[in-house]
Amino acid sequence: MNIFDYQKWITDFYKQRGWYEFSPFIRVNFLMEEVGEVSKAIRTIEIGRDRPDEVPLTREQQIENLKEELGDVLDNVFILADKYNINLTEIMESHKEKLTNRYK
């Protein structure tokens, strides 16, 4: 699936669930929550968690958890872009051009 198709799919999915109606201000807070979960997943992989109330995960489970959390971050970015009618392909192209020009 390409980025454009996924952006449309995730937008439709969020609308069907009633999640799309949250304002961008609220949505960015959801994004920050998910970024925190990415941070926790990476911490678990890199230095572990010394918690007797948690069952240790295998390396494979840790990576799967990180992938899931990164997906949650992406979904929130896609929804924010959609709310402002921004196509992510355009973001990638303009950002590539910006970096290329900056670091010639």
Side-chain angles (χ1 to χ4, degrees), residues 61-74:
Q61 290 171 319
Q62 292 172 353
I63 297 296
E64 285 303 312
N65 182 55
L66 176 57
K67 287 172 20 179
E68 180 180 334
E69 299 305 341
L70 287 170
D72 291 342
V73 167
L74 285 175

Side-chain angles (χ1 to χ4, degrees), residues 41-77:
I42 290 174
R43 175 187 176 206
T44 300
I45 292 168
E46 294 299 322
I47 64 172
R49 291 183 50 84
D50 186 17
R51 297 279 309 254
D53 60 334
E54 293 179 359
V55 176
L57 302 175
T58 66
R59 174 80 174 179
E60 183 178 293
Q61 290 171 319
Q62 292 172 353
I63 297 296
E64 285 303 312
N65 182 55
L66 176 57
K67 287 172 20 179
E68 180 180 334
E69 299 305 341
L70 287 170
D72 291 342
V73 167
L74 285 175
D75 288 350
N76 279 283
V77 169

Side-chain angles (χ1 to χ4, degrees), residues 2-99:
N2 67 42
I3 287 180
F4 177 77
D5 291 341
Y6 188 80
Q7 184 175 11
K8 181 176 179 353
W9 180 86
I10 198 65
T11 297
D12 291 343
F13 181 82
Y14 270 51
K15 286 178 179 177
Q16 290 169 3
R17 302 288 306 165
W19 300 340
Y20 190 86
E21 289 73 27
F22 292 110
S23 72
F25 185 77
I26 292 172
R27 177 65 45 206
V28 80
N29 284 287
F30 289 150
L31 172 61
M32 292 301 98
E33 178 182 341
E34 297 301 343
V35 168
E37 291 175 8
V38 167
S39 178
K40 179 181 174 185
I42 290 174
R43 175 187 176 206
T44 300
I45 292 168
E46 294 299 322
I47 64 172
R49 291 183 50 84
D50 186 17
R51 297 279 309 254
D53 60 334
E54 293 179 359
V55 176
L57 302 175
T58 66
R59 174 80 174 179
E60 183 178 293
Q61 290 171 319
Q62 292 172 353
I63 297 296
E64 285 303 312
N65 182 55
L66 176 57
K67 287 172 20 179
E68 180 180 334
E69 299 305 341
L70 287 170
D72 291 342
V73 167
L74 285 175
D75 288 350
N76 279 283
V77 169
F78 278 52
I79 295 301
L80 285 167
D82 188 77
K83 285 187 169 282
Y84 291 102
N85 200 30
I86 299 170
N87 180 300
L88 288 171
T89 302
E90 293 173 14
I91 293 172
M92 291 185 306
E93 289 169 354
S94 66
H95 200 72
K96 179 182 175 183
E97 182 179 340
K98 176 185 94 171
L99 292 173

